[in-house]
Amino acid sequence: MFHVKQSEKATPNEDFGVDTPLAREIADLSARRQKLESTSVEFTGKTRILTVSNQKGGVGKTTSTVNIASALAGMGARVLVIDLDPQGNASTALGVPHSADLPSIYEVLIDSIPLADVVQPSPESENLFCAPSTIHLAGAEIELVSQVAREHRLRTALQDYLAEHDLDFVIIDCPPSLGLLTINAFTAATEVFIPIQCEYYALEGLSQLLGSIQMIQKHLNPSLHLSTILLTMYDGRTRLAQQVADEVRGHFPEQVLNTVIPRSVRVSEAPSFGQTVVAYDGTSAGAIAYREAAVEIASSKTQSKEN
Ligand code: ATP
Ligand code: MG
């Protein structure tokens, strides 16, 4: 479905005469960048819908959503990010206005306005779009309870939108909970993407998340499956990060991407400039890792239902 071409293997930059850990790191980054530059991915027009979920807070859901989206758009994919978190962090990071007076995903869910009426282009790329969230979405969990077809509202809106717009990827950023907003995302998507922070307690709560996915498969959306796990905020200097990574890979050998996202100041400061790190500092370690992860996702063989 997706074809990844790589020209000849990139060779490490040998300009760094001194053999120090920093010189090695720079040479490694430079080689990885060259390899990315010589990688091209073709998109065939079939839309993949991923929901980025983990009920644990602060594990890198939003950071992964916006950076994978930006990296995919940079490779030529047409990408829509749906910000389903009342915090609106994904909208901010994509440079998309989301003040309370603007129509947002809240009106799509509660008032059934078309998704096309709220989607905005991201200044980051002509291929990148965002359905922003506003603070009103904070009330939606409760307001949805009394709505007809409360679990299907996002799915219906998205299907209507996709009937008229060609997209390669839809990526939904979920809040850190398993409430009705996340259930709407699970019902609308086919793939679940779980970012896992390489810290103690990383796997805690994961069985609850997997249980929810199974429930959704059974009752609301049989095509939903866990396709991708991304290890985030990895600090290679600690043995704990390595242990967590090994443990997650042991449990989910098929789903964990080879790429791990390093902990990096550039990643954390990019949103304050209304940018992803891919746009803010495309040659930094975090940006390169997110671009590599995006290539893995685009060429993933787990798009179809496997588990
Ligand atoms: P929430 O559950 O609140 O929605 P989240 O899972 O979306 O959080 P993020 O907002 O992406 O998590 O990240 C949490 C914090 O960690 C943010 O301040 C972000 O900038 C920072 N962060 C994310 N990834 C990295 C990284 N690789 N290196 C350094 N900081 C990071
Ligand atoms: Mg978030």
Side-chain angles (χ1 to χ4, degrees), residues 48-54 59-69 72 169-174 186 189-196 209 213 224-232 255 257 261 290 293-294 297:
R48 286 173 62 188
I49 309 174
L50 288 83
T51 177
V52 181
S53 313
N54 190 334
V59 297
K61 291 181 288 296
T62 302
T63 306
S64 298
T65 299
V66 298
N67 282 291
I68 296 288
L72 287 167
F169 285 90
V170 177
I171 308 182
I172 308 170
D173 184 29
C174 287
F186 282 160
T190 44
E191 300 180 45
V192 182
F193 173 126
I194 306 181
I196 293 184
L209 176 57
I213 296 169
L224 188 71
H225 64 286
L226 171 59
S227 70
T228 311
I229 294 177
L230 178 61
L231 299 167
T232 64
Q255 289 87 357
L257 298 184
I261 307 301
Y290 270 117
I297 290 169

Side-chain angles (χ1 to χ4, degrees), residues 57-63 85 87 176 233 261-264 267-268:
V59 297
K61 291 181 288 296
T62 302
T63 306
D85 187 338
Q87 298 176 99
M233 297 184 233
I261 307 301
R263 184 176 279 285
S264 135
V267 173
S268 59

Side-chain angles (χ1 to χ4, degrees), residues 254-303:
E254 298 294 318
Q255 289 87 357
V256 182
L257 298 184
N258 294 325
T259 307
V260 296
I261 307 301
R263 184 176 279 285
S264 135
V265 174
R266 302 304 256 173
V267 173
S268 59
E269 63 191 16
S272 60
F273 296 91
Q275 287 184 309
T276 66
V277 75
V278 171
Y280 171 64
D281 186 356
T283 60
S284 64
I288 287 177
Y290 270 117
R291 287 167 62 197
E292 290 171 334
V295 170
E296 278 195 69
I297 290 169
S299 49
S300 148
K301 297 191 177 55
T302 58
Q303 307 158 38

Side-chain angles (χ1 to χ4, degrees), residues 68-263:
I68 296 288
S70 175
L72 287 167
M75 294 191 288
R78 286 174 59 80
V79 186
L80 170 66
V81 169
I82 298 180
D83 188 350
L84 215 54
D85 187 338
Q87 298 176 99
N89 296 339
S91 314
T92 304
L94 293 172
V96 169
H98 60 106
S99 53
D101 53 321
L102 292 172
S104 72
I105 200 72
Y106 170 83
E107 283 80 7
V108 173
L109 294 174
I110 303 296
D111 301 331
S112 301
I113 74 166
L115 187 54
D117 288 3
V118 310
V119 168
Q120 299 183 44
S122 164
E124 214 154 276
S125 159
E126 59 182 15
N127 295 337
L128 185 55
F129 304 88
C130 174
S133 103
T134 57
I135 192 65
H136 298 303
L137 198 59
E141 292 276 8
I142 292 168
E143 290 173 65
L144 275 169
V145 172
S146 58
Q147 297 257 348
V148 178
R150 59 189 178 186
E151 297 96 351
H152 291 93
R153 299 185 77 88
L154 182 63
R155 181 191 183 103
T156 306
L158 184 57
Q159 292 309 330
D160 289 350
Y161 184 83
L162 290 175
E164 311 227 318
H165 298 80
D166 283 339
L167 289 174
D168 297 295
F169 285 90
V170 177
I171 308 182
I172 308 170
D173 184 29
C174 287
S177 67
L178 293 173
L180 270 170
L181 288 171
T182 298
I183 290 175
N184 263 273
F186 282 160
T187 308
T190 44
E191 300 180 45
V192 182
F193 173 126
I194 306 181
I196 293 184
Q197 188 182 354
C198 294
E199 298 272 325
Y200 198 56
Y201 295 135
L203 292 172
E204 202 174 74
L206 206 59
S207 58
Q208 204 189 344
L209 176 57
L210 296 175
S212 296
I213 296 169
Q214 274 175 2
M215 289 277 284
I216 303 286
Q217 279 170 340
K218 196 165 163 199
H219 299 290
L220 293 167
N221 180 8
S223 57
L224 188 71
H225 64 286
L226 171 59
S227 70
T228 311
I229 294 177
L230 178 61
L231 299 167
T232 64
M233 297 184 233
Y234 183 85
D235 183 347
R237 293 167 304 182
T238 70
R239 191 182 295 186
L240 177 64
Q242 183 63 54
Q243 283 170 349
V244 170
D246 289 347
E247 195 176 345
V248 177
R249 286 190 196 285
H251 278 94
F252 304 98
E254 298 294 318
Q255 289 87 357
V256 182
L257 298 184
N258 294 325
T259 307
V260 296
I261 307 301
R263 184 176 279 285

